[in-house]
Coordinates of all heavy atoms in Angstrom, one line a residue:
H1 N 14.9 -28.8 11.9 CA 13.5 -29.3 11.8 C 12.8 -28.4 10.8 O 12.6 -27.3 11.1 CB 12.9 -29.4 13.1 CG 11.5 -30.0 13.1 ND1 11.3 -31.4 13.3 CD2 10.3 -29.5 12.9 CE1 10.0 -31.6 13.2 NE2 9.4 -30.4 13.0
V2 N 12.3 -28.9 9.7 CA 11.5 -28.2 8.8 C 10.1 -28.4 9.0 O 9.7 -29.6 9.1 CB 12.0 -28.5 7.3 CG1 11.1 -27.8 6.3 CG2 13.4 -28.2 7.1
L3 N 9.3 -27.4 9.1 CA 7.9 -27.6 9.3 C 7.1 -27.6 8.0 O 7.4 -26.8 7.1 CB 7.3 -26.4 10.1 CG 7.7 -26.2 11.5 CD1 7.0 -25.0 12.2 CD2 7.4 -27.5 12.4
N4 N 6.1 -28.4 7.9 CA 5.3 -28.3 6.7 C 4.2 -27.3 7.0 O 4.1 -26.8 8.1 CB 4.7 -29.7 6.3 CG 3.8 -30.3 7.3 OD1 3.0 -29.6 8.0 ND2 3.8 -31.6 7.4
R5 N 3.4 -27.0 6.0 CA 2.4 -25.9 6.1 C 1.4 -26.2 7.3 O 1.0 -25.3 8.0 CB 1.7 -25.8 4.8 CG 0.7 -24.7 4.7 CD 1.4 -23.3 4.6 NE 0.4 -22.3 4.6 CZ 0.7 -21.0 4.5 NH1 1.9 -20.6 4.4 NH2 -0.3 -20.1 4.5
I6 N 1.0 -27.5 7.4 CA 0.0 -27.8 8.4 C 0.6 -27.7 9.8 O -0.1 -27.1 10.7 CB -0.5 -29.3 8.2 CG1 -1.3 -29.3 6.9 CG2 -1.4 -29.8 9.3 CD1 -1.6 -30.7 6.3
E7 N 1.8 -28.1 10.0 CA 2.5 -28.0 11.3 C 2.6 -26.5 11.6 O 2.4 -26.1 12.8 CB 3.8 -28.6 11.3 CG 3.8 -30.1 11.3 CD 5.2 -30.8 11.1 OE1 6.0 -30.2 10.3 OE2 5.4 -31.8 11.7
L8 N 3.0 -25.7 10.6 CA 3.1 -24.2 10.9 C 1.8 -23.6 11.3 O 1.7 -22.8 12.2 CB 3.7 -23.5 9.6 CG 3.8 -22.0 9.7 CD1 4.7 -21.6 10.8 CD2 4.2 -21.5 8.3
E9 N 0.7 -24.0 10.6 CA -0.6 -23.5 10.9 C -1.0 -23.8 12.4 O -1.5 -23.0 13.1 CB -1.7 -24.0 10.0 CG -1.5 -23.6 8.5 CD -1.9 -22.1 8.3 OE1 -2.7 -21.5 9.1 OE2 -1.4 -21.5 7.3
R10 N -0.7 -25.1 12.8 CA -1.0 -25.5 14.1 C -0.2 -24.7 15.2 O -0.8 -24.3 16.2 CB -0.7 -27.0 14.3 CG -1.7 -27.9 13.7 CD -1.6 -29.3 14.2 NE -2.4 -30.2 13.4 CZ -2.0 -31.2 12.7 NH1 -0.7 -31.5 12.7 NH2 -2.8 -31.9 12.0
C11 N 1.1 -24.4 14.9 CA 1.9 -23.6 15.8 C 1.3 -22.2 15.8 O 1.2 -21.6 16.9 CB 3.3 -23.6 15.3 SG 4.2 -25.2 15.6
L12 N 1.0 -21.6 14.7 CA 0.5 -20.2 14.7 C -0.8 -20.1 15.5 O -1.0 -19.1 16.2 CB 0.3 -19.8 13.2 CG 1.5 -19.5 12.4 CD1 1.2 -19.1 11.0 CD2 2.3 -18.3 13.1
E13 N -1.6 -21.1 15.4 CA -2.9 -21.1 16.1 C -2.7 -21.1 17.6 O -3.6 -20.6 18.4 CB -3.8 -22.4 15.8 CG -4.4 -22.3 14.4 CD -5.0 -23.6 14.0 OE1 -5.2 -24.5 14.9 OE2 -5.4 -23.8 12.8
R14 N -1.6 -21.6 18.1 CA -1.3 -21.6 19.5 C -0.8 -20.2 20.0 O -0.7 -20.0 21.2 CB -0.3 -22.7 19.8 CG -0.9 -24.1 19.6 CD 0.1 -25.2 19.7 NE 0.8 -25.2 20.9 CZ 1.9 -26.0 21.2 NH1 2.4 -26.7 20.2 NH2 2.5 -25.9 22.3
L15 N -0.4 -19.4 19.1 CA 0.2 -18.0 19.5 C -1.0 -17.1 20.0 O -2.1 -17.2 19.4 CB 0.9 -17.4 18.4 CG 2.2 -17.9 18.0 CD1 2.7 -17.2 16.7 CD2 3.3 -17.9 19.1
P16 N -0.7 -16.2 20.9 CA -1.7 -15.1 21.1 C -2.0 -14.4 19.8 O -1.2 -14.3 19.0 CB -1.0 -14.2 22.1 CG 0.1 -15.0 22.7 CD 0.5 -16.0 21.7
G17 N -3.2 -13.9 19.7 CA -3.7 -13.2 18.5 C -2.8 -12.1 18.0 O -2.5 -12.1 16.8
S18 N -2.2 -11.3 18.9 CA -1.4 -10.2 18.4 C -0.1 -10.7 17.8 O 0.4 -10.2 16.8 CB -1.1 -9.2 19.6 OG -0.5 -9.9 20.7
Q19 N 0.5 -11.7 18.4 CA 1.7 -12.3 17.9 C 1.4 -13.0 16.6 O 2.2 -12.9 15.6 CB 2.3 -13.3 18.9 CG 2.8 -12.6 20.1 CD 3.4 -13.6 21.1 OE1 3.6 -14.8 20.8 NE2 3.6 -13.1 22.4
R20 N 0.3 -13.7 16.5 CA -0.1 -14.4 15.2 C -0.2 -13.4 14.1 O 0.2 -13.6 13.0 CB -1.3 -15.2 15.5 CG -1.8 -16.1 14.3 CD -3.0 -17.0 14.6 NE -4.0 -16.3 15.3 CZ -4.4 -16.6 16.5 NH1 -3.9 -17.5 17.2 NH2 -5.4 -15.9 17.1
D21 N -0.9 -12.3 14.4 CA -1.1 -11.3 13.4 C 0.2 -10.7 12.9 O 0.4 -10.6 11.6 CB -1.9 -10.1 14.0 CG -3.4 -10.5 14.3 OD1 -3.8 -11.6 13.8 OD2 -4.0 -9.7 15.0
V22 N 1.2 -10.4 13.7 CA 2.4 -9.8 13.3 C 3.3 -10.8 12.5 O 3.9 -10.5 11.5 CB 3.3 -9.1 14.4 CG1 2.5 -7.9 15.0 CG2 3.7 -10.1 15.4
I23 N 3.3 -12.1 12.9 CA 4.0 -13.1 12.2 C 3.4 -13.3 10.8 O 4.1 -13.4 9.8 CB 4.0 -14.4 13.0 CG1 4.9 -14.4 14.2 CG2 4.4 -15.6 12.1 CD1 6.4 -14.4 14.0
T24 N 2.1 -13.4 10.8 CA 1.4 -13.6 9.5 C 1.7 -12.4 8.5 O 2.1 -12.7 7.4 CB -0.1 -13.7 9.7 OG1 -0.3 -14.8 10.6 CG2 -0.8 -13.9 8.4
L25 N 1.6 -11.2 9.0 CA 1.8 -10.1 8.1 C 3.3 -9.9 7.7 O 3.6 -9.7 6.5 CB 1.3 -8.8 8.8 CG -0.2 -8.6 9.0 CD1 -0.5 -7.5 9.9 CD2 -0.9 -8.5 7.6
F26 N 4.2 -10.0 8.7 CA 5.6 -9.8 8.4 C 6.2 -10.9 7.6 O 6.9 -10.6 6.6 CB 6.3 -9.6 9.8 CG 7.7 -9.1 9.6 CD1 8.0 -7.8 9.3 CD2 8.8 -10.0 9.9 CE1 9.3 -7.4 9.2 CE2 10.1 -9.6 9.8 CZ 10.4 -8.3 9.4
Y27 N 6.0 -12.2 8.0 CA 6.7 -13.3 7.3 C 5.9 -13.8 6.2 O 6.4 -14.1 5.1 CB 7.0 -14.4 8.3 CG 8.2 -14.0 9.2 CD1 8.0 -13.7 10.5 CD2 9.5 -13.9 8.7 CE1 9.0 -13.3 11.4 CE2 10.5 -13.5 9.5 CZ 10.3 -13.2 10.9 OH 11.3 -12.8 11.7
L28 N 4.6 -14.1 6.4 CA 3.8 -14.8 5.4 C 3.3 -13.9 4.3 O 3.2 -14.2 3.1 CB 2.7 -15.6 6.0 CG 3.1 -16.6 7.1 CD1 1.9 -17.3 7.6 CD2 4.1 -17.6 6.5
Q29 N 3.0 -12.6 4.6 CA 2.5 -11.6 3.6 C 3.6 -10.7 3.2 O 3.4 -9.8 2.4 CB 1.3 -10.9 4.1 CG 0.1 -11.8 4.3 CD -1.1 -11.1 4.8 OE1 -1.3 -9.9 4.6 NE2 -2.1 -11.8 5.3
E30 N 4.8 -10.8 3.9 CA 6.0 -10.1 3.6 C 5.8 -8.5 3.6 O 6.3 -7.8 2.8 CB 6.6 -10.5 2.2 CG 7.0 -12.0 2.2 CD 7.5 -12.4 0.9 OE1 7.5 -11.6 -0.1 OE2 8.0 -13.6 0.8
K31 N 5.1 -8.1 4.6 CA 4.9 -6.7 4.9 C 6.1 -6.1 5.7 O 6.7 -6.9 6.4 CB 3.6 -6.4 5.7 CG 2.4 -6.9 5.0 CD 2.0 -6.2 3.8 CE 0.7 -6.7 3.2 NZ 0.5 -6.2 1.9
S32 N 6.4 -4.9 5.5 CA 7.5 -4.3 6.3 C 7.1 -4.0 7.7 O 5.9 -4.0 8.0 CB 7.9 -2.9 5.6 OG 6.9 -2.0 5.8
L33 N 8.0 -3.8 8.6 CA 7.7 -3.5 10.0 C 6.8 -2.3 10.0 O 5.8 -2.3 10.8 CB 9.0 -3.2 10.7 CG 9.0 -3.2 12.2 CD1 8.6 -4.6 12.7 CD2 10.4 -2.8 12.7
Q34 N 7.1 -1.2 9.2 CA 6.3 0.0 9.2 C 4.8 -0.3 8.8 O 3.9 0.2 9.3 CB 6.9 1.0 8.3 CG 8.2 1.6 8.8 CD 9.4 0.6 8.5 OE1 9.3 -0.3 7.7 NE2 10.6 0.9 9.1
E35 N 4.7 -1.2 7.7 CA 3.4 -1.5 7.2 C 2.6 -2.3 8.3 O 1.4 -2.0 8.5 CB 3.5 -2.4 5.9 CG 4.0 -1.6 4.7 CD 4.2 -2.5 3.5 OE1 4.9 -3.5 3.7 OE2 3.7 -2.2 2.5
V36 N 3.2 -3.2 8.9 CA 2.6 -4.0 10.0 C 2.1 -3.1 11.1 O 0.9 -3.2 11.5 CB 3.5 -5.1 10.5 CG1 2.8 -5.8 11.7 CG2 3.9 -6.1 9.4
A37 N 3.0 -2.2 11.5 CA 2.6 -1.3 12.6 C 1.4 -0.4 12.2 O 0.4 -0.2 12.9 CB 3.8 -0.4 12.9
R38 N 1.4 0.1 10.9 CA 0.3 0.9 10.5 C -1.0 0.1 10.3 O -2.0 0.5 10.8 CB 0.7 1.5 9.1 CG -0.3 2.6 8.7 CD 0.2 3.3 7.4 NE 0.3 2.4 6.3 CZ 1.5 2.0 5.7 NH1 2.6 2.5 6.1 NH2 1.5 1.2 4.7
M39 N -0.9 -1.1 9.8 CA -2.1 -1.9 9.6 C -2.7 -2.3 10.9 O -4.0 -2.4 11.0 CB -1.7 -3.2 8.8 CG -1.3 -2.9 7.4 SD -0.6 -4.4 6.6 CE -2.0 -5.3 6.1
L40 N -1.9 -2.6 11.9 CA -2.5 -3.0 13.2 C -2.6 -1.8 14.2 O -3.0 -2.0 15.3 CB -1.5 -4.1 13.8 CG -1.4 -5.4 13.0 CD1 -0.4 -6.3 13.7 CD2 -2.8 -6.0 12.8
D41 N -2.3 -0.6 13.7 CA -2.4 0.6 14.6 C -1.6 0.4 15.9 O -2.1 0.6 17.0 CB -3.8 0.9 14.8 CG -4.0 2.4 15.4 OD1 -3.1 3.2 15.0 OD2 -4.9 2.6 16.1
L42 N -0.3 -0.1 15.7 CA 0.6 -0.3 16.9 C 1.9 0.5 16.6 O 2.3 0.6 15.5 CB 0.9 -1.8 17.0 CG -0.2 -2.7 17.4 CD1 0.2 -4.2 17.2 CD2 -0.7 -2.5 18.8
P43 N 2.5 0.9 17.7 CA 3.9 1.4 17.6 C 4.8 0.4 17.0 O 4.7 -0.8 17.3 CB 4.3 1.8 19.0 CG 3.0 1.8 19.8 CD 2.1 0.9 19.1
E44 N 5.8 0.8 16.3 CA 6.8 -0.1 15.7 C 7.5 -1.0 16.8 O 7.8 -2.1 16.6 CB 7.9 0.6 14.9 CG 7.3 1.0 13.5 CD 8.4 1.7 12.6 OE1 9.6 1.3 12.7 OE2 8.0 2.6 11.9
G45 N 7.8 -0.3 17.9 CA 8.5 -1.0 19.0 C 7.6 -2.2 19.5 O 8.1 -3.3 19.9
T46 N 6.3 -2.0 19.6 CA 5.4 -3.0 20.0 C 5.4 -4.2 19.0 O 5.4 -5.4 19.4 CB 4.0 -2.5 20.2 OG1 4.0 -1.4 21.1 CG2 3.0 -3.5 20.7
V47 N 5.4 -3.8 17.7 CA 5.4 -4.9 16.6 C 6.7 -5.7 16.8 O 6.7 -6.9 16.7 CB 5.3 -4.2 15.2 CG1 5.6 -5.3 14.2 CG2 3.9 -3.6 15.1
K48 N 7.9 -5.0 17.0 CA 9.1 -5.7 17.2 C 9.1 -6.7 18.4 O 9.6 -7.8 18.3 CB 10.3 -4.7 17.4 CG 10.7 -4.0 16.1 CD 11.8 -3.0 16.5 CE 12.2 -2.2 15.3 NZ 13.3 -1.2 15.6
S49 N 8.5 -6.2 19.5 CA 8.3 -7.0 20.7 C 7.5 -8.2 20.4 O 7.8 -9.3 20.8 CB 7.7 -6.1 21.8 OG 7.6 -6.8 23.0
H50 N 6.3 -8.0 19.7 CA 5.5 -9.2 19.4 C 6.2 -10.2 18.5 O 6.1 -11.4 18.7 CB 4.2 -8.7 18.7 CG 3.2 -8.0 19.6 ND1 2.9 -8.4 20.8 CD2 2.4 -7.0 19.3 CE1 2.0 -7.6 21.4 NE2 1.7 -6.7 20.5
L51 N 7.0 -9.7 17.5 CA 7.7 -10.6 16.6 C 8.8 -11.4 17.4 O 8.9 -12.6 17.2 CB 8.5 -9.8 15.5 CG 7.6 -9.3 14.4 CD1 8.4 -8.3 13.5 CD2 7.2 -10.5 13.5
H52 N 9.4 -10.7 18.3 CA 10.5 -11.4 19.1 C 9.8 -12.5 20.0 O 10.3 -13.6 20.0 CB 11.2 -10.3 20.0 CG 12.2 -10.9 20.9 ND1 13.4 -11.5 20.5 CD2 12.2 -11.1 22.3 CE1 14.1 -11.9 21.5 NE2 13.4 -11.7 22.6
R53 N 8.8 -12.1 20.7 CA 8.1 -13.1 21.6 C 7.5 -14.3 20.7 O 7.6 -15.4 21.2 CB 7.0 -12.5 22.4 CG 7.5 -11.5 23.4 CD 6.4 -11.1 24.4 NE 7.0 -10.1 25.3 CZ 6.6 -8.8 25.2 NH1 5.6 -8.4 24.4 NH2 7.1 -7.9 26.1
A54 N 7.0 -14.0 19.6 CA 6.4 -15.0 18.7 C 7.5 -15.9 18.2 O 7.3 -17.2 18.2 CB 5.6 -14.4 17.6
R55 N 8.6 -15.4 17.8 CA 9.7 -16.2 17.3 C 10.2 -17.2 18.5 O 10.5 -18.4 18.2 CB 10.9 -15.4 16.8 CG 10.6 -14.8 15.4 CD 11.9 -14.2 14.8 NE 12.4 -13.1 15.6 CZ 12.2 -11.8 15.2 NH1 11.5 -11.5 14.1 NH2 12.6 -10.8 16.0
L56 N 10.3 -16.7 19.7 CA 10.7 -17.5 20.8 C 9.7 -18.6 21.0 O 10.1 -19.8 21.3 CB 10.9 -16.7 22.1 CG 12.0 -15.7 22.1 CD1 12.0 -14.9 23.4 CD2 13.4 -16.4 22.0
A57 N 8.4 -18.3 21.0 CA 7.4 -19.2 21.3 C 7.3 -20.3 20.2 O 7.2 -21.5 20.5 CB 6.0 -18.5 21.3
L58 N 7.5 -19.9 18.9 CA 7.5 -20.8 17.8 C 8.7 -21.8 17.9 O 8.6 -23.0 17.7 CB 7.5 -20.1 16.5 CG 6.2 -19.4 16.1 CD1 6.4 -18.5 14.9 CD2 5.1 -20.5 15.8
A59 N 9.9 -21.2 18.3 CA 11.1 -22.0 18.4 C 10.9 -23.1 19.5 O 11.2 -24.3 19.3 CB 12.3 -21.2 18.8
A60 N 10.2 -22.7 20.6 CA 10.0 -23.7 21.7 C 9.0 -24.7 21.2 O 9.1 -25.9 21.5 CB 9.4 -22.9 22.9
M61 N 8.0 -24.4 20.4 CA 7.0 -25.3 19.9 C 7.7 -26.3 19.0 O 7.3 -27.5 19.0 CB 5.9 -24.6 19.1 CG 4.9 -23.9 20.0 SD 3.7 -23.1 18.9 CE 3.3 -21.6 19.9
I62 N 8.6 -25.9 18.2 CA 9.3 -26.7 17.2 C 10.1 -27.8 17.9 O 10.2 -28.9 17.5 CB 10.1 -25.9 16.2 CG1 9.2 -25.1 15.3 CG2 11.1 -26.8 15.4 CD1 9.9 -24.0 14.5
K63 N 10.7 -27.4 19.1 CA 11.5 -28.3 19.8 C 10.6 -29.4 20.6 O 11.2 -30.4 21.0 CB 12.3 -27.6 20.9 CG 13.4 -26.8 20.2 CD 14.2 -26.0 21.2 CE 15.3 -25.1 20.6 NZ 16.0 -24.3 21.5
E64 N 9.3 -29.2 20.7 CA 8.5 -30.1 21.4 C 8.4 -31.4 20.8 O 8.4 -31.6 19.6 CB 7.0 -29.5 21.6 CG 6.9 -28.4 22.5 CD 5.5 -27.8 22.6 OE1 4.6 -28.3 21.8 OE2 5.3 -26.9 23.3

């Protein structure tokens, strides 16, 4: 299932703020893990955790 930009925006809006932030920076703005961690003042492990949870949540939304 390929999402168009509008569908993607709707899915991102449903994510918790921290997950939306890391997805936006990492995938849409193509920042590195280290850059995202620094920009959000979070440990890298926390950024990885947010990315993982956000990917799971987005996958579940796409299946809806």
Side-chain angles (χ1 to χ4, degrees):
H1 182 92
V2 177
L3 294 181
N4 66 35
R5 183 76 183 182
I6 294 167
E7 290 173 319
L8 176 61
E9 294 288 337
R10 284 195 191 119
C11 289
L12 288 174
E13 286 172 9
R14 293 171 56 191
L15 291 176
S18 55
Q19 291 178 14
R20 184 174 47 245
D21 292 344
V22 297
I23 287 287
T24 300
L25 291 169
F26 189 74
Y27 287 108
L28 303 180
Q29 296 183 19
E30 299 181 355
K31 302 292 183 192
S32 71
L33 197 62
Q34 295 79 13
E35 288 173 309
V36 174
R38 191 173 61 248
M39 292 169 81
L40 298 177
D41 196 27
L42 293 171
E44 283 182 37
T46 302
V47 172
K48 287 181 185 177
S49 180
H50 286 323
L51 280 170
H52 178 71
R53 289 190 189 114
R55 284 191 295 260
L56 291 176
L58 288 170
M61 287 178 211
I62 290 167
K63 291 179 183 174
E64 288 177 358

